[in-house]
Amino acid sequence: MQTKYKTQINKIGPSVSEFLGEKMLILFGENAPAELADYCLLIDVNGIENDIEVGDRLQLGEKEYKITAVGDAVEKNLSSLGHITLKFDGSTTPELPGSLYLEDIEISEVNPGDLLQIFAK
């Protein structure tokens, strides 16, 4: 399975759980502004190997999610700032350019040290 992207969750902001009810997780590199960092999963900023496409799989910790839509700015933002929103609502049309849309299933618990990876379909 080809890996398109790989990073590690370094820190989990204390307010991340506030967005779980909206089926969202926000990723940001270590350079996140202080007022946003509390709401983010802080990650290492890494480059992307290939285009992220619908049907690819995102693995977060032990759980995999199918990618259902990709916002126009996801690849640029992820590789430059580490900043995108993961939206677990199954949308097939990307409403926001900086959001990656995933299948609508329960979000598993995320822990510091977990890997976040995107694999080709």
Side-chain angles (χ1 to χ4, degrees):
M1 198 169 355
Q2 181 204 5
T3 304
K4 294 185 173 188
Y5 182 76
K6 183 175 183 177
T7 190
Q8 179 174 302
I9 310 287
N10 295 322
K11 188 175 175 213
I12 298 173
S15 302
V16 163
S17 59
E18 291 180 25
F19 287 110
L20 288 178
E22 296 175 47
K23 300 186 176 188
M24 288 171 44
L25 289 172
I26 301 168
L27 304 179
F28 220 121
E30 291 287 346
N31 58 345
E35 63 272 14
L36 292 179
D38 284 353
Y39 299 94
C40 298
L41 302 176
L42 298 178
I43 62 170
D44 293 325
V45 177
N46 294 327
I48 295 170
E49 298 297 319
N50 276 302
D51 292 346
I52 298 169
E53 300 170 327
V54 170
D56 287 350
R57 312 284 301 173
L58 179 136
Q59 183 173 343
L60 187 55
E62 298 298 312
K63 196 156 181 185
E64 270 195 21
Y65 307 89
K66 184 178 173 200
I67 295 173
T68 58
V70 183
D72 292 343
V74 163
E75 292 174 7
K76 180 173 79 71
N77 291 357
L78 190 56
S79 58
S80 63
L81 301 169
H83 178 46
I84 62 168
T85 300
L86 302 177
K87 208 139 167 47
F88 297 82
D89 65 359
S91 290
T92 54
T93 304
E95 293 173 30
L96 298 168
S99 291
L100 187 63
Y101 296 85
L102 303 144
E103 62 187 310
D104 186 359
I105 57 176
E106 188 179 337
I107 304 170
S108 67
E109 188 177 342
V110 183
N111 298 295
D114 282 354
L115 291 179
L116 183 148
Q117 301 176 86
I118 296 173
F119 298 104
K121 52 187 157 196

